[in-house]
């Protein structure tokens, strides 16, 4: 499959359907987030429900201010909901303490931001090894698994490069490797292609898709319909509410329409 | 197996690379910590090198002789002396009787068969290029083997006949004379020719001339007294050389019985037990210098001075760490997003202090050693004596180095705690936290300042204790530091009357009070970091973070 093209196989969707019987990696239940109070009250999320299963990549789309990023921060435990539950691999992260939440981020949740994802003081391998080192694993063991992760993705040659010695696309690929190192199965990507040219963006999405096909669960926040086409499902947010949700195969026309409208 | 220290390994690695990436800032902090360490390690090395071993001290005092016997001028009554000969007391108690006076029969104190070399010193006013100079006149046969080591010949030779003298290099420098010059003393017509220059290793700044025994002091004393002037006040000691085990403690005690005081090489190298020293067994004997109280007082004084120095360095270096932590907040946010909790963030910032403290320890100590080595002649001149040896004490230098590491860590504590309190989201987005100043801190500062001043005044007026004065000063200083945010806030109210530039500067200082006084919780400065979450900033939103304990909220 060429990297620049969204995959055309229906295998992932079939796998997705078969995974409906599995436990979701991420489950959002009646998620509400209100910022401020009184006159300054802003409803960022209003009763959002969403489940993401192993092997599934869900794209979240919507206009600016629709709550996409808030949803992602809450899903990853970087922010707390006003009400509702966030269950990651069976653990309700809204009820755990600060330390447990950090441990969950080390072991279960990976992030990929738009840019400046990597810690500049660490090499690619060290960046990937960081969550495990923070977890108390020795530097040597953590590096071995980090290099293995890089090689699995065909990025072994980047292991000893610092972020400023890598291109934007390479940095994003390393960030995806870090997001899924060790036992992590949930990757939350917020516009991971936003700072990349379209060709590089496609290749980064291809890698993310491949990791999900290998069993990870992912949420992809994007403005770009063509990037959303890599997902199994597309969720549309507006003013903090899910206004539409569709499988990728059914979303093509909707995406095209939206793209045309834009 | 998982261990907590593995996360510290990662933290130190990040801090080490960051220190290297931001060389300018690192160098600044390193210099702040390394300079005092340089000074202290150089001082330690200088003082230790200037401290002589017993052998070196004996060589300077006795030359190649076994002992120096002197007359304390107590009429030859028996005395008790300390092994080093610095302290002595008459055996008999003279509290209710006239104190004994007069010369002892010193020759009776010499062991049988001993070789003797007379060493006489007096003083006189010598004519120099710049006028009369009061000078020590020393009479000794410097060519005698027993005198070897007492003085070091520089130029020329030692005098070997009447009418010749040698002079110390310092005397030549002070007098404007040189080897080969003729010299006279006030009151004496005889001219003496300077045939050489020398130095006294233990007294480099001594103005002294050396003549053969009986060739200068006696004629000068006679001439002065003939003119009705005070004489040379000459006094003699005797260098003694004996066969066998040297001048033993028993020989010393025998000499004491004849009223002589002895400095013996053999006794200095192997001092007798206290029980064998009659002086130390006396009820009226005490040695303050060696008492526990003296050592405790000395240690307390050193501890207070070191503590104050560390406090000053922490106050200077702390803001640099705070600025560093703020600049790295995106990086710290990424660590948080990848599972770093507060202790990990603290560890990274503290590791910055650890890394720079360690580097400062290495650089400061190495430069201290190097400078002392290079500047040794200057230091010896300043100290007025030659070093015994280049005496490097690894444990002491290690202790000084550890002070640097500790200082680095202490300076990074407040920035570390402050950085760890930021939410991951705030760190990632670079949102500015608006934090109301603490109301408790100024009150604590005011109380600490008042209390510190009171303690300092009490220490200065009612006691002589440097520890109380320094402790009070430190408390007052910390109090002022705690008060500074409030004081800056008060100054800020004057801003309305100022022209634009100073008004902007003052308002900026008021908005960022934390960076003025390092130990207070700083407010984050405006931050230009791009949001990682979106390219286009949304309309005004409010942070998801709950209000801080100061009652403020992050606003963008």
């Amino acid at each position: 499959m060429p990297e620049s093209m969204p995959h055309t196989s229906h295998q992932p969707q079939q796998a997705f359907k078969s995974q409906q019987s599995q436990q979701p990696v991420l489950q959002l239940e009646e998620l509400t987030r209100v910022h401020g109070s009184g006159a300054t009250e802003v409803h960022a999320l209003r009763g959002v429900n969403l489940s993401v299963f192993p092997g599934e990549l869900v794209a979240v789309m919507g206009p600016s201010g629709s709550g996409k990023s808030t949803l992602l921060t809450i899903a990853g435990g970087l922010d707390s909901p006003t009400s509702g539950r966030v269950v990651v691999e069976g653990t309700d992260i809204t009820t755990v303490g600060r330390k447990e939440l950090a441990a969950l981020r080390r072991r279960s949740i990976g992030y990929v931001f738009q840019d400046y994802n990597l810690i500049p003081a660490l090499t690619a391998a060290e960046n990937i090894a960081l969550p495990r080192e923070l977890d108390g694993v020795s530097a040597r063991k953590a590096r071995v698994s980090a290099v293995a992760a890089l090689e699995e993705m065909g990025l072994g040659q980047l292991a000893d490069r610092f972020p400023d010695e890598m291109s934007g696309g390479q940095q994003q690929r390393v960030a995806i490797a870090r997001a899924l190192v060790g036992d992590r199965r949930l990757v939350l990507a917020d516009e991971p292609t936003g700072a990349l040219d379209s060709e590089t963006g496609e290749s980064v999405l291809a890698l993310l898709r491949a990791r999900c096909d290998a069993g990870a669960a992912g949420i992809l926040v994007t403005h770009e319909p063509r990037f959303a086409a890599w997902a199994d499902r597309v969720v549309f947010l507006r003013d903090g509410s899910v206004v539409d949700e569709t499988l990728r195969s059914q979303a093509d026309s909707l995406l095209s329409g939206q793209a045309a409208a834009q | 197996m998982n261990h907590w220290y593995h996360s510290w390994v990662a933290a130190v690695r990040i801090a080490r690379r960051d220190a290297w990436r931001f060389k300018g800032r690192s160098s600044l902090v390193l210099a702040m910590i390394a300079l005092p360490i340089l000074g202290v390690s150089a001082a330690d090395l200088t003082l230790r090198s200037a401290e002589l071993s017993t052998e070196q001290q004996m060589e300077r005092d006795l030359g190649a002789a076994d002992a120096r016997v002197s007359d304390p001028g107590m009429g030859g009554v028996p005395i008790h002396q300390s092994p080093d000969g610095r302290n002595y007391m008459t055996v008999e108690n003279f509290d209710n009787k006239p104190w004994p006076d007069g010369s002892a029969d010193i020759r009776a104190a010499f062991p049988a068969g001993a070789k003797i070399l007379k060493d006489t010193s007096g003083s006189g006013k010598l004519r120099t290029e710049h006028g009369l100079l009061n000078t020590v006149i020393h009479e000794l046969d410097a060519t005698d083997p027993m005198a070897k080591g007492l003085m070091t010949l520089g130029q020329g030779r030692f005098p070997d006949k009447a009418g010749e003298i040698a002079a110390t290099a310092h005397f030549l420098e002070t007098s404007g004379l040189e080897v080969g010059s003729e010299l006279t003393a006030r009151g004496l017509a005889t001219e003496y020719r300077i045939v050489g220059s020398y130095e006294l290793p233990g007294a480099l700044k001594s103005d002294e001339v050396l003549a053969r025994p009986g060739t200068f002091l006696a004629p000068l004393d006679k001439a002065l007294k003939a003119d009705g002037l005070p004489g040379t006040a000459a006094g003699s000691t005797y260098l003694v050389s004996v066969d066998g085990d040297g001048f033993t403690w028993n020989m010393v005690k025998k000499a004491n019985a004849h009223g002589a005081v002895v400095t013996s090489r053999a006794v200095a190298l192997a001092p007798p037990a206290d029980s064998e020293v009659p002086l130390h067994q006396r009820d009226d004997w005490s040695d303050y210098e060696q008492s526990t109280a003296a050592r405790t007082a000395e240690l307390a004084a050193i501890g207070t001075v070191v503590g104050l120095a560390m406090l000053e360095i922490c106050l200077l270096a702390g803001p640099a760490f705070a600025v560093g932590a703020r600049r790295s907040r995106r990086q710290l946010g990424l660590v948080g997003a990848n599972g770093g909790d507060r202790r990990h963030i603290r560890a990274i910032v503290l590791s910055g202090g650890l890394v720079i403290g360690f580097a400062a320890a290495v650089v400061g100590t190495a430069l201290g050693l190097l400078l002392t080595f290079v500047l040794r002649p200057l230091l010896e001149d300043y100290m007025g004596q030659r070093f015994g040896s280049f005496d490097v004490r690894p444990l002491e230098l290690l202790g000084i180095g550890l002070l640097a590491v500790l200082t680095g860590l202490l300076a990074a504590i407040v920035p570390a705690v402050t950085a760890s309190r930021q939410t991951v989201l705030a760190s990632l987005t670079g949102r500015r936290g608006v934090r109301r100043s603490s109301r408790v801190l100024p009150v604590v500062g005011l109380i600490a300042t008042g209390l510190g001043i009171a303690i300092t005044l009490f220490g200065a007026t009612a006691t002589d204790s440097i520890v109380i004065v320094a402790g009070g000063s430190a408390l007052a200083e910390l109090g002022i530091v705690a008060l500074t945010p409030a004081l800056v806030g008060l100054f800020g109210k004057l801003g309305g009357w100022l022209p634009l530039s100073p008004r902007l500067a003052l308002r900026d200082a008021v908005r960022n009070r934390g960076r003025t006084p390092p130990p207070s919780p700083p407010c984050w400065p405006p931050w230009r970091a791009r949001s990682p979450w979106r390219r286009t900033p949304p309309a005004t939103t409010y942070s998801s973070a709950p209000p801080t304990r100061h009652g403020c909220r992050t606003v963008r």
Side-chain angles (χ1 to χ4, degrees):
Chain A
M1 182 174 64
E3 278 201 343
S4 58
M5 293 289 290
H7 69 130
T8 53
S9 163
H10 285 275
Q11 260 188 331
Q13 286 189 58
Q14 285 160 2
F16 161 61
K17 282 169 189 167
S18 69
Q19 286 157 356
Q20 298 300 302
S21 56
Q22 297 180 21
Q23 284 289 321
V25 177
L26 173 69
Q27 198 170 1
L28 309 179
E29 295 176 6
E30 288 301 319
L31 208 59
T32 303
R33 182 68 173 103
V34 181
H35 295 303
S37 60
T40 60
E41 191 172 280
V42 176
H43 288 260
L45 293 175
R46 302 166 192 259
V48 172
N49 289 291
L50 179 67
S51 294
V52 187
F53 291 86
E56 186 185 17
L57 179 61
V58 175
V60 178
M61 298 190 72
S64 292
S66 61
K68 302 186 298 293
S69 292
T70 303
L71 182 125
L72 217 59
T73 56
I74 292 176
L78 295 182
D79 194 5
S80 313
T82 306
S83 66
R85 294 176 75 222
V86 180
V87 182
V88 176
E89 300 207 277
T91 304
D92 183 355
I93 66 172
T94 59
T95 60
V96 299
R98 204 171 48 229
K99 281 191 174 179
E100 290 81 2
L101 194 57
L104 204 68
R105 283 201 295 270
R106 288 197 291 275
R107 294 164 196 164
S108 301
I109 306 167
Y111 287 94
V112 181
F113 303 118
Q114 181 175 304
D115 51 12
Y116 303 116
N117 263 299
L118 303 181
I119 292 167
L122 299 178
T123 64
E126 287 166 349
N127 261 286
I128 295 170
L130 182 67
R132 301 201 71 211
E133 279 195 76
L134 293 177
D135 219 12
V137 175
S138 74
R140 184 176 294 181
K141 278 186 185 173
R143 181 182 164 83
V144 167
S145 58
V147 171
L150 276 172
E151 283 172 350
E152 191 183 338
M153 295 185 187
L155 304 171
Q157 76 282 4
L158 301 178
D160 293 319
R161 286 201 207 164
F162 285 94
D164 57 7
E165 297 167 344
M166 289 186 265
S167 68
Q170 288 172 327
Q171 289 187 38
Q172 293 303 73
R173 289 187 191 101
V174 172
I176 290 171
R178 185 180 62 191
L180 292 167
V181 73
D183 297 330
R184 286 169 155 187
R185 284 202 305 162
L186 175 61
V187 57
L188 305 172
D190 191 350
E191 305 243 19
T193 55
L196 305 176
D197 61 65
S198 58
E199 191 178 340
T200 312
E202 291 287 351
S203 66
V204 168
L205 261 295
L207 179 64
L208 186 60
R209 174 73 258 173
R211 301 319 297 165
C212 290
D213 289 345
I219 296 184
L220 166 68
V221 167
T222 181
H223 278 102
E224 293 278 346
R226 63 197 172 92
F227 292 140
W230 286 92
D232 299 299
R233 244 186 322 149
V234 183
V235 172
F236 293 93
L237 280 180
R238 182 183 292 276
D239 296 333
S241 300
V242 176
V243 293
D244 205 347
E245 181 175 356
T246 180
L247 292 177
R248 186 190 65 81
S249 58
Q250 299 162 343
D252 287 346
S253 57
L254 185 61
L255 290 169
S256 307
Q258 193 181 58
Q262 285 179 346
Chain B
M1 199 171 172
N2 294 8
H3 289 291
W4 61 269
Y5 55 79
H6 288 139
S7 59
W8 267 90
V9 172
V12 170
R13 188 188 309 131
I14 292 173
R16 180 166 49 83
R17 301 250 177 85
D18 269 348
W20 188 249
R21 286 172 64 224
F22 303 108
K23 295 184 188 71
R25 193 175 70 224
S26 303
S27 305
L28 178 71
V29 183
L30 190 143
M32 282 183 207
I33 302 175
L35 272 175
I37 293 301
L38 184 157
V40 175
S41 55
D44 176 76
L45 184 58
T46 302
L47 292 174
R48 289 303 186 190
S49 300
E51 271 181 6
L52 302 181
S53 67
T54 308
E55 289 92 337
Q56 290 163 343
Q57 187 63 56
M58 286 300 107
E59 187 182 357
R60 287 190 186 176
D61 289 348
L62 309 179
D66 289 317
R68 184 184 287 274
V69 179
S70 55
D71 178 5
M74 291 188 175
V77 300
I79 60 167
H80 287 154
Q81 74 160 77
S82 59
D84 60 9
R86 287 179 189 165
N87 300 293
Y88 51 85
M89 292 174 82
T90 55
V91 174
E92 195 181 341
N93 188 339
F94 287 91
D95 281 354
N96 299 315
K97 297 184 212 171
W99 194 251
D101 191 18
S103 300
D105 179 11
I106 201 80
R107 293 193 174 272
F110 300 145
K115 292 179 193 162
I116 312 296
L117 179 65
K118 191 175 181 183
D119 184 354
T120 307
S121 281
S123 67
K125 292 191 173 173
L126 306 186
R127 290 198 173 84
T128 72
E129 293 291 309
H130 314 297
L132 291 173
L133 178 65
N134 200 24
T135 308
V136 174
I137 301 168
H138 196 173
E139 286 187 349
L140 173 77
D141 180 4
T143 58
D144 190 292
M146 268 196 280
K148 187 182 177 190
L150 290 175
M151 47 195 73
T152 309
L153 187 65
Q155 275 182 276
R157 57 177 173 81
F158 287 120
D160 57 11
K161 60 184 178 189
E164 290 182 346
I165 60 166
T168 58
H170 192 266
F171 172 82
L172 293 180
E173 188 184 323
T174 310
S175 65
L177 300 172
E178 55 190 27
V179 175
S181 300
E182 300 287 336
L183 178 145
T184 58
R186 188 189 68 161
L188 187 66
T190 312
E191 282 195 340
Y192 293 89
R193 186 162 165 269
I194 301 173
V195 296
S197 78
Y198 64 96
E199 69 175 24
L200 299 170
L204 298 178
K205 293 180 180 173
S206 171
D207 290 324
E208 182 182 291
V209 294
L210 175 73
R212 297 281 301 173
T215 62
F216 203 147
L217 283 168
L220 177 61
D221 191 64
K222 191 176 172 185
L224 288 172
K225 284 179 178 167
D227 291 343
L229 296 168
T232 56
S236 297
T237 60
Y238 298 86
L239 294 169
V240 180
S241 190
V242 294
D243 294 330
D245 298 335
F247 211 107
T248 63
W249 180 236
N250 280 335
M251 292 178 179
V252 172
K253 286 194 282 189
K254 282 179 188 170
N256 288 165
H258 291 94
V261 176
V262 181
T263 303
S264 160
R265 187 191 307 272
V267 172
L269 292 175
D274 259 13
S275 58
E276 292 179 39
V277 182
L279 182 69
H280 292 175
Q281 303 305 313
R282 292 170 59 150
D283 294 338
D284 54 352
W285 166 254
S286 66
D287 188 351
Y288 175 79
E289 287 300 325
Q290 289 178 358
S291 72
T292 309
R295 280 198 297 272
T296 307
E298 188 184 359
L299 281 176
I302 291 172
T304 310
V305 170
V306 169
L308 269 176
M310 286 174 68
L311 172 64
E312 298 301 333
I313 300 169
C314 287
L315 291 178
L316 285 170
F321 282 112
V323 170
R326 287 175 205 178
R327 290 196 170 186
S328 303
R329 61 189 306 204
R330 165 81 185 155
Q331 173 169 285
L332 296 176
L334 281 173
V335 172
N338 279 286
D341 60 30
R342 286 185 172 184
R343 72 195 152 99
H344 295 123
I345 305 299
R346 276 197 301 270
I348 291 172
V349 181
L350 280 176
S351 295
L354 193 71
V355 166
I356 292 187
F358 181 77
V362 172
V363 170
T365 310
L367 283 179
L369 291 177
L370 184 69
L371 281 179
T372 310
F373 184 74
V374 170
L375 300 177
R376 178 174 176 168
L378 289 177
L379 290 168
E380 286 176 334
D381 277 350
Y382 180 77
M383 304 275 295
Q385 64 176 76
R386 293 278 171 235
F387 289 172
S389 60
F390 204 65
D391 190 1
V392 179
R393 306 267 179 117
L395 278 180
E396 289 178 9
L397 293 177
L398 186 67
I400 293 166
L402 282 178
L403 275 182
V405 176
L406 186 64
T407 306
L409 273 175
L410 289 175
I413 281 179
V414 173
V417 171
T418 307
S420 72
R421 284 181 180 167
Q422 289 294 302
T423 64
V424 177
L425 202 54
S427 297
L428 284 169
T429 54
R431 286 173 184 161
R432 177 186 166 82
V434 180
R435 185 176 283 182
R436 199 160 51 220
S437 298
S438 166
R439 290 178 181 174
V440 179
L441 200 61
V443 177
V444 172
L446 199 62
I447 293 170
T449 307
L451 201 60
I453 291 171
I455 290 172
T456 307
L457 288 175
F458 171 78
T461 54
T463 75
D464 287 332
S465 169
I466 184 177
V467 177
I468 294 177
V469 174
S473 305
L475 184 64
E477 186 170 0
L478 286 173
I480 289 171
V481 169
L483 265 177
T484 308
L487 293 174
V488 172
L490 285 174
F491 277 118
K493 293 182 179 172
L494 303 172
W497 289 289
L498 292 173
L500 179 63
S501 299
R503 188 164 70 237
L504 280 174
L506 185 59
R507 296 259 167 86
D508 191 48
V510 171
R511 287 171 67 239
N512 299 288
R513 295 176 202 183
R515 74 185 172 198
T516 312
S520 65
C523 291
W524 297 112
W527 198 249
R528 299 190 302 270
R530 279 198 294 166
S531 162
W533 299 97
R534 52 177 67 84
R535 270 183 172 263
T536 312
T540 302
T541 57
Y542 295 87
S543 92
S544 50
T548 66
R549 63 190 173 84
H550 299 285
C552 296
R553 185 182 296 280
T554 311
V555 179
R556 186 169 70 172

